[in-house]
């Protein structure tokens, strides 16, 4: 698709294009396209930029990942399609393991996502040969590896569904979720919720990780307060938009 860079929706259209290509290649599931649409709607309300609460959460996430014993980044089809290089750079910077974990898991899709990450420089991507299971999740969705997600103490799960986010928390893990919807079950279940678009959030975490290397851990992040502020921001944005229509 040819879209001029000056187009006001250029970034958004490029992301859609990447997802359409990834869907055609079998890397992204149909439901992944719908999930992206829900994210876009929230991004629209947030002004399509990183809000201060998200920046604070990204800094907290970087510190938690740097101080973890076994930090793991869980990757799904959408995230791999949207920002594979950024994922690899973050994994190398921390350093953290990459594990592919899909809601609609098939061996074929697993191989596609892993192959795509490898094409962008990833090494030793976990997930294809699961040997452990997350308790309280039905079979395919709970599959993971002992080396990675199962024993991770800090796990970054961009775009997670609520059930898995809760199950990971119940295992005692520190969970960092990236989700543009501050109202989602995942957002509310996480230790740290980054209300930001994933292609902005991942490079931001990497930058903070570079700055925070060798420094002591940051103080505990107040996730509820950050979610409240993100919801206030959306409420105020809607109110301003409503006011622009005048009284009546
Ligand atoms: P939950 O089960 O947590 O209530 P859900 O069922 O609404 O969530 P899913 O469809 O499992 O959510 O996951 C999609 C979530 O990811 C949505 O909340 C959406 O806002 C978010 N999302 C989608 N694309 C992006 C993106 N590119 N960056 C950040 N967040 C995104």
């Amino acid at each position: 698709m040819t879209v001029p860079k000056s187009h006001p929706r250029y970034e958004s259209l490029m992301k859609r294009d990447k997802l359409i290509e990834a869907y055609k290649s079998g890397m992204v599931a149909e439901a992944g396209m719908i999930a992206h649409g829900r994210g876009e709607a929230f991004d629209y309300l947030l002004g399509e930029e990183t809000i201060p609460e998200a920046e604070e959460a990204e800094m907290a996430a970087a510190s938690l990942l740097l101080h973890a014993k076994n930090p793991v980044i869980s990757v799904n089809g959408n995230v791999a399609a949207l920002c594979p290089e950024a994922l690899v750079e973050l994994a190398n910077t921390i350093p953290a393991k990459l594990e592919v974990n899909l809601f609609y898991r098939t061996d074929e899709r697993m191989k596609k996502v892993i192959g795509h990450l490898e094409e962008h420089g990833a090494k030793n991507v976990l997930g294809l040969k699961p040997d452990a299971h997350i308790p309280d999740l039905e079979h395919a969705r709970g599959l993971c590896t002992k080396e990675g997600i199962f024993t991770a103490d800090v796990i970054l799960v961009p775009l997670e569904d609520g059930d898995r986010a809760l199950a990971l928390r119940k295992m005692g893990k520190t969970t960092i979720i990236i989700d543009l919807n501050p109202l989602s079950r995942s957002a509310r279940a996480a230790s740290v919720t980054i209300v930001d678009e994933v292609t902005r959030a991942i490079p931001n975490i990497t930058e903070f990780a570079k700055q925070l290397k060798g420094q002591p851990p940051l103080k505990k992040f107040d996730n509820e307060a950050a979610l409240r502020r993100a919801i206030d921001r959306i409420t105020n944005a809607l109110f301003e938009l409503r006011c622009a229509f005048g009284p009546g």
Side-chain angles (χ1 to χ4, degrees), residues 46 51 53-54 182 195 225-235:
L46 290 164
I51 58 174
E53 298 74 48
V195 182
L227 285 177
R228 271 198 297 273
R229 281 161 58 208
I231 294 167
D232 283 350
R233 200 171 281 280
I234 292 175
T235 312

Side-chain angles (χ1 to χ4, degrees), residues 15 18-33 35-36 74-84 87 99-106 108-117 158-160 164 198-199:
K15 273 177 232 164
K18 279 189 182 170
L19 281 174
I20 292 167
E21 284 308 310
Y23 167 70
K24 285 186 189 156
S25 79
M27 206 163 77
V28 164
E30 282 156 330
M33 311 282 273
H36 184 77
S74 174
V75 182
N76 72 7
N78 282 41
V79 184
L82 288 171
C83 52
L87 284 169
E99 177 161 340
V100 175
N101 196 281
L102 305 178
F103 192 98
Y104 298 99
R105 184 190 175 102
T106 63
E108 199 196 340
R109 185 169 289 130
M110 288 293 293
K111 283 180 192 153
K112 287 241 157 82
V113 177
I114 292 172
H116 188 67
L117 291 171
L159 323 190
E160 186 53 280
R164 265 186 27 109
V198 74
T199 64

Side-chain angles (χ1 to χ4, degrees), residues 37-49:
R38 170 141 52 197
E40 276 189 343
F42 280 96
D43 207 17
Y44 199 95
L45 293 172
L46 290 164
E48 294 174 320
E49 60 185 18

Side-chain angles (χ1 to χ4, degrees), residues 203-243:
N204 286 350
I205 302 172
T206 306
E207 277 317 304
F208 281 123
K210 287 178 184 166
Q211 291 168 24
L212 292 173
K213 261 203 178 167
Q215 294 194 28
L218 297 179
K219 71 174 172 44
K220 195 173 178 296
F221 185 74
D222 186 345
N223 206 44
E224 271 198 12
L227 285 177
R228 271 198 297 273
R229 281 161 58 208
I231 294 167
D232 283 350
R233 200 171 281 280
I234 292 175
T235 312
N236 291 338
L238 280 170
F239 184 69
E240 274 174 29
L241 285 169
R242 168 64 190 86
C243 289

